[in-house]
Amino acid sequence: MKWWIATILVPALAWPSDNARSQADTVFISNPSFEADVALFSQDTAGWIDCGFLSEAPAAVQPGQYDVRMAPKDQRYYMSLVVRENYTWDAIGQKLEKPLEPGKCYEWTVYLAQSPHYVDYARRHAGKVRYNNPIQLFIWGGSGFCQAGQLLAETAVVKHKNWQAYRLVFRPQKPVYYITLHAYYLNPLAAAYNGHILVDNASHIVSIPCTDQPEKPLDASKVLTLSPPSLEALERYIALHGPHIIFSSKKLELEEKADTDFFRPEYLSYAHMSVIAKGLRWFPGQKLIVGIKPRPKRQLDARIAYISQYLRDRGLKPEQYTVVVYEKTDKAAWLAESPNIALRLAPVGESERGGE
């Protein structure tokens, strides 16, 4: 399926005020300037909520954190969103006061920038690193909080160090009740990296006439999100993240920090397993089969129990996962393998063997 997008960089004073627009054609955004006193990340409020990873810090209200000191574009505060080299990223979302309707066109303007400095902790390096690489912003529409249902728009890669306005044109294919702003890599399938983007002074969403000029289509199948849009996308998640999940060689838990005996920089296993578990929750008819490799044999039973508890703690129902002893009978049966585990999907109720 093609997701139609349009992104135009515009001068700061190119747009009429909200008062000049018809309220009947306007979908109002709550807290469009990301002010700290109402930027409460809770689904019980009307403002923005955190849609990122439980294993990571939420998106930050700026300025003043992570060495970010740029003045806001509007009022007192703005947001920073980051991507990380462990394949995690920031995202925020909110419920719209009324839905975007399919077949109509809308425009939304937001100011974006990069800070000259952005320094935060990185587990891989066990210390602070720069998050100065440029990234882009995706806007998703869905039927629930943080749902990546339809890719409504994307920006170009943002690397300018001053506030610039971006006009985004939405053309939804189905009703949109929630929107999500998603920080994203230039090319995550090549390599993840640390980067950031600053967001401020968003407009309300305004209905506009649709044009007959075709817009550039985006291949959304290559986009990683926390709510995979299809079963095929979930399989890609597992194929991408599964090879990076290993156990610590010194204690009974997933590898997280540098281990001189057995460590690879990309093996930040908690984050990779978290992506898979969170994505699986959108597919109640599928279960994850985890095959634990039997070396060392003395840790086999304990590792099976550990992974079972890990998935249970991430909110998966018992019927959505099975942890078994790995059987190397058919390598093609597994979507992904690491030195310690193998992963595949199966419909709920299918055989629970560790191989085919």
Side-chain angles (χ1 to χ4, degrees), residues 20-326:
R21 311 270 192 178
S22 168
Q23 290 196 6
D25 295 329
T26 301
V27 179
F28 291 94
I29 297 292
S30 177
N31 188 18
S33 194
F34 308 97
E35 295 309 299
D37 56 341
V38 290
L40 303 176
F41 298 115
S42 168
Q43 295 187 16
D44 298 327
T45 69
W48 300 97
I49 70 159
D50 180 41
C51 295
F53 290 76
L54 296 178
S55 60
E56 304 292 343
V61 178
Q62 300 288 4
Q65 301 191 67
Y66 309 120
D67 205 21
V68 175
R69 310 195 189 285
M70 181 181 291
K73 176 62 184 176
D74 182 59
Q75 300 187 55
R76 298 178 59 193
Y77 300 103
Y78 52 93
M79 297 297 301
S80 65
L81 307 175
V82 304
V83 299
R84 305 176 187 87
E85 60 190 348
N86 63 356
Y87 289 97
T88 66
W89 54 81
D90 286 344
I92 58 174
Q94 73 167 250
K95 182 178 181 180
L96 299 176
E97 52 104 20
K98 61 182 177 182
L100 306 183
E101 300 179 23
K104 290 187 176 182
C105 294
Y106 300 86
E107 70 179 22
W108 183 62
T109 304
V110 64
Y111 281 79
L112 304 175
Q114 264 212 325
S115 170
H117 304 285
Y118 198 110
V119 180
D120 193 11
Y121 180 83
R123 293 187 185 92
R124 170 181 171 179
H125 304 279
K128 291 186 176 181
V129 299
R130 295 178 180 178
Y131 281 66
N132 290 347
N133 290 303
I135 65 173
Q136 58 190 137
L137 184 69
F138 282 21
I139 294 86
W140 296 89
S143 58
F145 276 110
C146 307
Q147 183 184 43
Q150 304 173 69
L151 185 55
L152 298 175
E154 67 166 342
T155 71
V157 173
V158 175
K159 53 186 177 181
H160 45 80
K161 302 303 188 286
N162 62 314
W163 291 109
Q164 295 186 20
Y166 286 73
R167 178 200 176 214
L168 305 174
V169 176
F170 305 159
R171 193 168 187 171
Q173 298 179 347
K174 58 181 70 172
V176 170
Y177 299 91
Y178 299 78
I179 62 168
T180 302
L181 312 187
H182 173 193
Y184 200 60
Y185 311 91
L186 175 61
N187 183 4
L189 299 183
Y193 57 85
N194 297 318
H196 81 278
I197 195 171
L198 307 179
V199 186
D200 197 13
N201 195 26
S203 72
H204 301 301
I205 301 173
V206 180
S207 177
I208 60 172
C210 294
T211 64
D212 295 329
Q213 181 178 0
E215 290 124 353
K216 179 183 176 182
L218 174 71
D219 184 4
S221 66
K222 296 180 180 179
V223 180
L224 303 174
T225 68
L226 288 182
S227 54
S230 67
L231 181 59
E232 291 76 15
L234 179 61
E235 291 175 342
R236 285 195 298 274
Y237 280 32
I238 295 171
L240 176 66
H241 292 277
H244 302 305
I245 300 171
I246 65 169
F247 284 97
S248 169
S249 62
K250 295 183 177 179
K251 51 188 175 181
L252 183 64
E253 62 180 36
L254 293 176
E255 182 64 87
E256 182 69 12
K257 298 180 180 179
D259 185 320
T260 55
D261 293 335
F262 188 71
F263 175 73
R264 302 293 183 270
E266 67 272 23
Y267 284 160
L268 298 172
S269 301
Y270 284 105
H272 293 291
M273 184 65 93
S274 175
V275 174
I276 294 172
K278 199 162 186 178
L280 186 65
R281 289 190 295 179
W282 295 89
F283 295 89
Q286 293 289 317
K287 70 176 176 181
L288 180 69
I289 298 180
V290 183
I292 304 298
K293 297 186 176 181
R295 292 186 180 179
K297 191 171 183 179
R298 68 181 184 278
Q299 294 186 0
L300 180 60
D301 291 341
R303 286 181 171 183
I304 290 175
Y306 173 86
I307 291 295
S308 298
Q309 184 65 47
Y310 182 96
L311 295 173
R312 183 160 54 249
D313 291 345
R314 267 64 189 173
L316 293 183
K317 297 178 180 179
E319 63 270 20
Q320 278 198 282
Y321 62 88
T322 299
V323 187
V324 297
V325 179
Y326 172 80

